[in-house]
Amino acid sequence: MTKPQSLPDEPATSRMGGGAGPDAQPNASPNTRPTAQPVTAPDAQLAARVEELERENARLSAALATACTGCDDLLTVNALNEDLRTAFDALEHSRAAHADSERRLRAILDSAVGHAILTLSPDGRVTSWNPGSVRILGWTEEEAQGRPVDFLFPPEDVVAGIPDALRLRALAEGRIQEERAFRRRDGSVVWGALTILPLQGDEEGYLWILHDRSDERRMEEAIADARKRASDILDSIDEALVALDRDYRVIYQNRRSEQIGHQPLSAMRGRRLWEIWPQLAGSDLEALCRKTMTERVPTSMEKRLDGEDTTRWLEIRILPTAEGVGCFSRDITMRKRAEEEARASHERAVMILESISDAFYAVDHDWRFTYINRKAEQLWSRSRDTLLGRRLWDVFPKALGSESLEAQKQAVREGRELTVEVLSPVLGYWVEVNIYPSADGLSVYFRDITARRQAQQALMQAKETAEAADHAKGKFLAAASHDLRQPLQALMLFVDVLKPHVQGSQGANALMHLGRGLDALKELLDSLLDMSRLDAGVVQPNIESVPMVPLFDHIAASYRPVAAAKGLELHVLSCNASARTDRTLLTRMVRNLVENALRYTESGRIDIECRQAGGRLLIEVRDTGIGIPPDHLERIWEEFHQVGNPERDRNRGLGLGLAIVRRLSQLLNHPVDVQSKPGQGTSFVIALPLGRTVERPLSPAEAATTGHGRFAVVVDDDAIVLLGLETIFREWGYEVLVAGSAEKAVEALRRSGRRPDLVVADYRLREGRFGTDAVAGIRALFEEAGGPPVPGLILTGETGPECERDAAAHGLGIIHKPVTPRQLSHALGELLGLQ
């Protein structure tokens, strides 16, 4: 038996060297890369078979080494060796396939940059982190490795336990998907679609796949916001909208449509129009809708809907859209009612215009007749059918250039109503024309006023005659007043001068009665003068802040002795306030009210009170007199009207005091209210605007009566008045220069060279000269650069406005004759600045 050949076991040894078993090549760590799948069952059986064959080969080799019985055994060994090589090649092929699969899997994971793919351990820690995770979430693989997955969630989700809840759901359900916000490394938020799968096999844990949907979500939100805005716009319009597709199925309705139809969109969507409203089938509205759908042109109509109790009008517009058509409807019931009312109103207007007594016509902007009533037809003797549509001047050529047509053109230009009285060129008599421009043209009413014009002419002539008579009466009264005042002035001054020189009670008593008579005469003349000046409108109030305390002190000092003489109590309660008023005119009002109370109060008291109420200052004069009957409350303001004095007792006044109060109240805008009860008394209240409180110390008027050697110039052409003035001034301690004319006064002053301290001059002097000229001449004589002018006072019996205007122009004070010495001293005090 030949020696067996050596076994070709080297290749087998080289293949098996280094451990050809299933554990020959260690697996990669699960914490660094995703691993390949473990060795499959066929590979394990093949490895076990190879190991068994190797052991068998070893036994055979040992047996052959000791003894070889023949070539058959060698063939057996070779066959076994071939089986071993085949099994080993299969194992190598399986290992190569596994490595290739692992490379391909890793390449897939690394190339999936659009998704964050990571694996977690069972307790939620990151075990793998692909490049997509780096791109989407920002953390590197080294930063994320081994960290709890909580760092990917917003803090509020971590507090709520969301990461743990997701892992539990994945275990329970096997696979979960949801969208939520995740936190990036820079603190920003990414919106992602997350899929979680539990891992099976040797490596437990979780596979997370996160897709970044931030851009998609922003786009979806933008689309949703645009849709909402569009829906809000459609819901805000007053029209109801129903949108239909090309099969006439409802795809949308706005809120207004829902309010009208009382059906939500969910109940209407997908249903055909006539399925929702069966009454539309075969109607004109359905035909209109089909026309728009097929011809793709807008259509519209006004539809009347009659209900059991109401009638509604809808304006319906159908517009083609990309999906089908949009049906817009709007309730126009109010408009239709307004149109019906307008038609009815027009019919009523036509009926009125046809029945009125005035002639009426209307023209458009081209001056063409649009309407003519029956009265105009009658006056013109023309049928309106032949006039309508024609121009006004084509029908009536005489109207061109007439006052009536020019007035109508003016009304059109200025856009305002006009009323004129003209001589009609068409009719030939006087007419009153009322012209009313409008958006449509012009409306004109006219009527015959010939008779009225004649009556107006007669009335105008009568008025002119009456005015001439009144003017003549005024001139007579002015002259009479002046002539009466001159001697009265002298008498009053001499009465005051005589008082120290009359001895004995009888003479003093006679002098007292003379003074009272002169006072009564002066009061009459003063009241008449005041009334004439107020009626003539020549009194101009000097409005200023007037303190009440000095005014009330003056009233109290003047009337407390008078009240005591009648056995009356006079209570004066002032207030520390001021009023916006004229000092002199307000004093006159209060004095007249107090004098009225004194005349009509026989016993009791008189109260004069000042108080603030309702943002105004109130001055009240109350008495306990005879009172005023209700039917006399308005008549007391009339001239010469007196309550309870039918005998016209002049000791109870003239009846002009309250008439002057009423006129001053109107002039100053100081309302006066009166309340009275017969037998109990009367209350008058003057309401004044509040003024600014001004501290203004006043000196007594009597300071002016102490001349202290002041030099006074007196100019008057009446010798008696001039003598009286000279006497009273000398009694007061003045040095006096008297002159009968301006020229004599100037000449005397030029000779003396002494500058006077004041000038008192009568207004109207002889030879047409005036007291203002006298003052001006004296001032010019002593004019000094920058120095104040010589103070001047006009003493006059004139009642007309010319005197006051002339005095004001020269900056002079004015006082009307006759004046008492006390009034004169008061005027001098104001003139010299002593008050």
Side-chain angles (χ1 to χ4, degrees), residues 402-412 418 420 422 435 442:
S402 68
E403 186 178 354
S404 174
L405 185 58
E406 292 304 314
Q408 295 176 48
K409 291 181 178 180
Q410 179 184 352
V412 172
L418 282 180
V420 294
V422 296
I435 309 164
L442 204 65

Side-chain angles (χ1 to χ4, degrees), residues 139-155:
W139 282 278
T140 64
E141 185 175 0
E142 290 75 12
E143 291 173 331
Q145 195 74 32
R147 294 179 64 180
V149 77
D150 294 2
F151 74 97
L152 297 181
F153 290 83

Side-chain angles (χ1 to χ4, degrees), residues 417-699:
E417 302 173 5
L418 282 180
T419 298
V420 294
E421 294 182 1
V422 296
L423 184 63
S424 171
V426 177
L427 300 175
Y429 49 75
W430 283 91
V431 295
E432 179 186 79
V433 184
N434 296 280
I435 309 164
Y436 301 92
S438 67
D440 300 324
L442 204 65
S443 299
V444 181
Y445 297 81
F446 62 97
R447 65 166 70 100
D448 184 356
I449 59 166
T450 304
R452 191 180 80 189
R453 289 283 297 188
Q454 293 172 349
Q456 286 177 344
Q457 289 289 344
L459 183 62
M460 186 66 68
Q461 292 176 357
K463 180 175 180 294
E464 291 174 355
T465 302
E467 287 178 347
D470 186 64
H471 182 66
K473 180 195 72 173
K475 290 177 65 177
F476 169 76
L477 288 177
S481 174
H482 180 270
D483 293 343
L484 286 172
R485 288 171 185 275
Q486 290 292 87
L488 179 60
Q489 179 64 75
L491 287 172
M492 295 184 73
L493 293 175
F494 279 117
V495 166
D496 199 73
V497 171
L498 282 174
K499 284 181 181 179
H501 306 286
V502 174
Q503 298 178 356
S505 60
Q506 187 174 0
N509 190 44
L511 191 61
M512 179 190 69
H513 286 296
L514 175 61
R516 287 183 179 178
L518 292 175
D519 287 341
L521 182 58
K522 175 187 179 303
E523 182 183 353
L524 174 60
L525 289 174
D526 284 346
S527 297
L528 289 173
L529 174 62
D530 288 341
M531 292 291 295
S532 63
R533 292 169 69 236
L534 288 170
D535 288 340
V538 298
V539 179
Q540 296 298 323
N542 179 28
I543 303 300
E544 58 181 337
S545 288
V546 178
M548 292 295 102
V549 172
L551 186 147
F552 272 65
D553 290 345
H554 173 73
I555 295 293
S558 299
Y559 293 102
R560 189 166 279 129
V562 181
K566 290 191 67 173
L568 302 175
E569 297 180 25
L570 181 64
H571 294 268
V572 179
L573 180 60
S574 182
C575 58
N576 189 24
S578 297
R580 292 285 299 167
T581 184
D582 182 290
R583 184 190 311 273
T584 303
L585 300 182
L586 176 63
T587 302
R588 184 63 187 272
M589 290 179 70
V590 178
R591 291 174 65 94
N592 283 10
L593 293 177
V594 174
E595 290 173 1
N596 184 77
L598 287 168
R599 289 192 187 100
Y600 292 97
T601 305
E602 297 300 329
S603 62
R605 62 186 287 168
I606 296 173
D607 293 281
I608 309 171
E609 181 182 338
C610 169
R611 64 181 182 273
Q612 296 185 42
R616 296 187 301 175
L617 188 66
L618 304 181
I619 297 177
E620 182 176 9
V621 179
R622 295 190 304 272
D623 64 57
T624 58
I626 64 173
I628 305 171
D631 57 334
H632 284 254
L633 282 175
E634 284 301 321
R635 296 182 61 196
I636 61 173
W637 307 110
E638 299 174 1
E639 296 88 345
F640 305 108
H641 181 80
Q642 292 179 302
V643 177
N645 189 18
E647 298 86 3
R648 304 295 295 168
D649 181 3
R650 289 300 166 227
N651 290 326
R652 303 183 65 178
L654 303 170
L656 293 176
L658 294 182
I660 293 174
V661 169
R662 168 59 65 87
R663 283 165 169 77
L664 290 175
S665 166
Q666 295 170 345
L667 176 65
L668 297 173
N669 192 23
H670 296 347
V672 180
D673 179 60
V674 58
Q675 295 182 357
S676 183
K677 292 183 179 180
Q680 298 183 27
T682 304
S683 169
F684 290 91
V685 179
I686 308 173
L688 306 95
L690 284 168
R692 181 172 55 88
T693 301
V694 178
E695 296 295 335
R696 183 183 175 185
L698 299 177
S699 299

Side-chain angles (χ1 to χ4, degrees), residues 79-91:
L80 291 174
N81 200 22
E82 284 297 325
D83 290 340
L84 180 61
R85 288 194 185 93
T86 301
F88 184 79
D89 289 341
L91 178 59

Side-chain angles (χ1 to χ4, degrees), residues 43 56 127 130 226 289 353 372 446 492 611 626 672 783:
D43 290 340
E56 183 66 24
T127 58
N130 78 326
C289 185
L353 291 174
I372 299 171
F446 62 97
M492 295 184 73
R611 64 181 182 273
I626 64 173
V672 180
E783 185 175 4

Side-chain angles (χ1 to χ4, degrees), residues 284 301-307 310-316 332 336 340:
D284 52 353
M301 69 180 304
E302 292 182 355
K303 183 75 173 176
R304 174 172 174 164
L305 305 176
D306 294 317
T310 59
T311 297
R312 291 174 56 203
W313 280 89
L314 294 180
E315 179 185 61
I316 301 172
I332 58 170
K336 298 296 284 188
E340 292 174 0

